[in-house]
Amino acid sequence: LEAELRRRSGALLLVTHDRYLLDRVATRIVELDRGALHSGHGSYPGYLKARALRGEQAAAAERRQANRARVELAWLRRGPQARTSKSRSRVERATALLQRDVAGPAQDLAIDLPSRRLGAKVVNLHNAGKRYGGRTVLRGVDAKLKAGDRIGIVGPNGSGKTTLLGLVAGRVQPDEGKVVVGETVVVGWYGQDPRPLDPRRRVLDAVSDVVGQTRLVDGATVTAGGLAERFLFTPQAQRAYLGELSGGERRRLELLLVLAEAPNVLLLDEPTNDLDLDTLGVLEEYLDDWPGVLLAASHDRFFLERAVDDVLGIEADGSVRHHPGGWAAYRQRQQQRPPAAREPNDRAQAPGRTARRPRLSYNEQRELGHLERRLPLLEERKAALAADLQRAGDDYQAATVTGAALAAVIGELETAEARWLELAEIAEG
Ligand SMILES: Nc1ncnc2c1ncn2[C@@H]1O[C@H](COP(=O)(O)OP(=O)(O)O)[C@@H](O)[C@H]1O
Ligand SMILES: [Mg+2]
């Protein structure tokens, strides 16, 4: 579709949340935000920059939003574009830009819902298969989910992504083979099927119901209001009746309710389809720190690049292939396959050009993916600590503690950055 759209010479007006599509196709982005139209020039990175700037000028309540735009911009710079440049100076410029306003915006509400403790055994699929009315959807699926796994599921529509998630969740029973689920597993399911919600109740009540039932480890407390606020429900919006919510607000609430149940295995089925950019930003930030197992079916390459380390690809015959190294590695491998095995739209490779091998080992690719998620987080933490340090002022004790934490984060950031550059350069060759 992208190639088709880019080839067109006519004007094109596109309504989408697909950030990759925006990045590749749009030359101008117009955002509709709380009744106001903001027209940005340039494509997706330009839009993010303009958005960050706008946020800086806006009131404190809008600051969080700008923060997210900056984090994403940083991440974007480190993504494919930064990788192709090989240039250290480019990274340094991006970093400098981000550090310009260290004393700036307030930090995000520090609410981290713990996930429940997860034992060694998570979910194992042994030669699992599923047929519907004689048609084989999945066959011979062997997969072992381990603690800390973050896996994307990709495949064309109708290939069996939802079915595979269903097998893991116990919602779908296999026709052959078996699915073994560990005793400590608590599944969180965020799928396309709407959750029944009483239209006469209010947002805050719905969140309180779930949070009240969620036993948190470490005696940590979470208030329903704080959690709702992290997911962009202002105190006023928390009083809204569920029956009044827009489709997007309802989806955001459903997502929040799933996370509030503190699952340790989170299954997301096409999560980016009907969440707006802000909610997606919150979700991605949330997942960055989320300690549980993540399994997400998605077409959104931005989401996959940021959130997962490995990809399971569903093949035309219903078998499932494991692609270590996340979306980028999956994509690279797809492009190296012989033309016959590829998607029908892909052009055959020019004769004489040999396929490029990935230059990183399995573990290095995973490490690179991990670093790309981790770097913006470290930068955020560094900025927050620097702001704390400034606020500490004459309070010698607070300044000492914060200063030490800041030094540690800066050290960690430098090590991570050096390693990232090293790996990115090997990957580029
Ligand atoms: N409950 C069902 N009954 C009959 N066919 C189904 C059922 N669920 C899924 N299918 C079929 O199985 C195939 C895979 O579906 P699904 O897992 O939803 O694919 P995806 O999520 O990748 O789009 C599709 O052809 C779909 O029509
Ligand atoms: Mg599906």
Side-chain angles (χ1 to χ4, degrees):
L1 177 64
E2 255 167 44
E4 190 57 44
L5 291 177
R6 273 202 308 235
R7 253 199 308 275
R8 280 176 49 97
S9 58
L12 171 72
L13 193 62
L14 186 72
V15 179
T16 183
H17 287 313
D18 183 331
R19 297 168 288 180
Y20 234 101
L21 198 62
L22 284 174
D23 188 33
R24 306 267 204 111
V25 174
T27 53
R28 192 172 147 206
I29 294 176
V30 178
E31 184 184 21
L32 185 57
D33 181 17
R34 279 156 288 183
L37 267 188
H38 300 278
S39 175
H41 294 277
S43 109
Y44 191 56
Y47 153 73
L48 288 176
K49 222 186 296 178
R51 198 169 197 235
L53 220 89
R54 205 165 80 222
E56 266 159 37
Q57 293 154 355
E62 299 220 336
R63 289 239 160 96
R64 277 160 25 91
Q65 189 172 326
N67 221 1
R68 276 195 293 280
R70 264 195 301 275
V71 170
E72 192 155 15
L73 179 59
W75 171 76
L76 196 70
R77 288 222 164 88
R78 294 221 143 77
Q81 282 153 322
R83 250 178 273 145
T84 49
S85 81
K86 273 205 281 178
S87 124
R88 191 174 286 260
S89 65
R90 201 161 156 183
V91 180
E92 278 164 5
R93 242 179 311 154
T95 315
L97 191 84
L98 285 160
Q99 284 168 352
R100 228 180 20 198
D101 51 1
V102 148
Q107 27 186 314
D108 270 336
L109 293 174
I111 294 166
D112 287 311
L113 274 176
S115 72
R116 301 169 207 246
R117 198 192 69 79
L118 185 60
K121 198 166 105 202
V122 185
V123 178
N124 294 339
L125 287 84
H126 300 283
N127 196 30
K130 185 70 194 169
R131 281 185 305 276
Y132 285 116
R135 190 174 98 78
T136 299
V137 176
L138 294 172
R139 73 170 82 211
V141 183
D142 281 309
K144 202 173 239 172
L145 299 183
K146 302 178 302 296
D149 274 352
R150 305 169 73 97
I151 299 174
I153 299 177
V154 300
N157 286 332
S159 61
K161 298 182 295 297
T162 302
T163 305
L164 181 55
L165 286 173
L167 283 173
V168 172
R171 295 180 157 218
V172 173
Q173 295 311 313
D175 296 321
E176 54 185 69
K178 60 179 179 174
V179 177
V180 184
V181 179
E183 280 162 20
T184 55
V185 167
V186 179
V187 166
W189 175 275
Y190 178 73
Q192 300 293 310
D193 38 338
R195 179 185 185 114
L197 292 172
D198 182 349
R200 288 157 309 177
R201 305 211 63 202
R202 295 173 195 266
V203 168
L204 188 60
D205 301 330
V207 180
S208 303
D209 288 349
V210 175
V211 170
Q213 288 162 16
T214 305
R215 281 262 310 275
L216 302 178
V217 289
D218 306 337
T221 55
V222 168
T223 67
L227 188 60
E229 210 163 337
R230 173 157 185 183
F231 280 80
L232 312 176
F233 287 100
T234 60
Q236 192 194 342
Q238 292 171 24
R239 287 194 295 275
Y241 288 103
L242 301 183
E244 299 167 354
L245 297 180
S246 76
E249 287 165 339
R250 194 186 159 97
R251 291 299 282 160
R252 173 151 34 96
L253 176 64
E254 287 173 354
L255 174 66
L256 158 57
L257 294 178
V258 172
L259 298 173
E261 284 160 359
N264 50 26
V265 175
L266 183 59
L267 307 180
L268 304 175
D269 193 4
E270 309 270 5
T272 68
N273 274 10
D274 37 24
L275 298 176
D276 59 35
L277 283 175
D278 284 332
T279 309
L280 261 181
V282 175
L283 172 63
E284 288 170 350
E285 272 178 30
Y286 190 89
L287 292 177
D288 282 336
D289 287 331
W290 197 70
V293 170
L294 172 66
L295 201 56
S298 180
H299 290 302
D300 185 322
R301 290 161 284 183
F302 267 98
F303 178 80
L304 291 172
E305 278 187 358
R306 172 147 176 187
V308 306
D309 299 322
D310 296 296
V311 164
L312 291 176
I314 302 181
E315 305 275 313
D317 65 354
S319 63
V320 170
R321 260 178 76 146
H322 181 209
H323 303 267
W327 166 262
Y330 165 73
R331 188 72 193 151
Q332 199 181 20
R333 238 159 282 144
Q334 286 292 98
Q335 283 165 351
Q336 286 161 11
R337 292 168 76 177
R342 279 195 260 145
E343 296 156 36
N345 277 341
D346 279 10
R347 294 265 189 82
Q349 244 169 15
R353 227 189 105 203
T354 49
R356 253 177 36 149
R357 292 230 175 77
R359 294 160 211 265
L360 295 177
S361 72
Y362 171 99
N363 282 330
E364 283 168 341
Q365 294 210 18
R366 284 190 71 139
E367 191 186 352
L368 184 59
H370 175 75
L371 285 169
E372 272 162 11
R373 283 205 314 275
R374 182 142 183 78
L375 280 169
L377 290 178
L378 285 170
E379 260 157 17
E380 238 187 323
R381 200 163 302 156
K382 177 179 159 188
L385 284 169
D388 282 351
L389 190 59
Q390 251 180 11
R391 267 197 300 272
D394 296 338
D395 183 343
Y396 175 76
Q397 209 168 11
T400 310
V401 172
T402 311
L406 182 60
V409 168
I410 290 174
E412 206 180 329
L413 189 59
E414 275 167 7
T415 313
E417 217 150 32
R419 181 64 178 151
W420 171 74
L421 272 169
E422 196 180 332
L423 290 174
E425 281 175 16
I426 300 172
E428 263 311 296

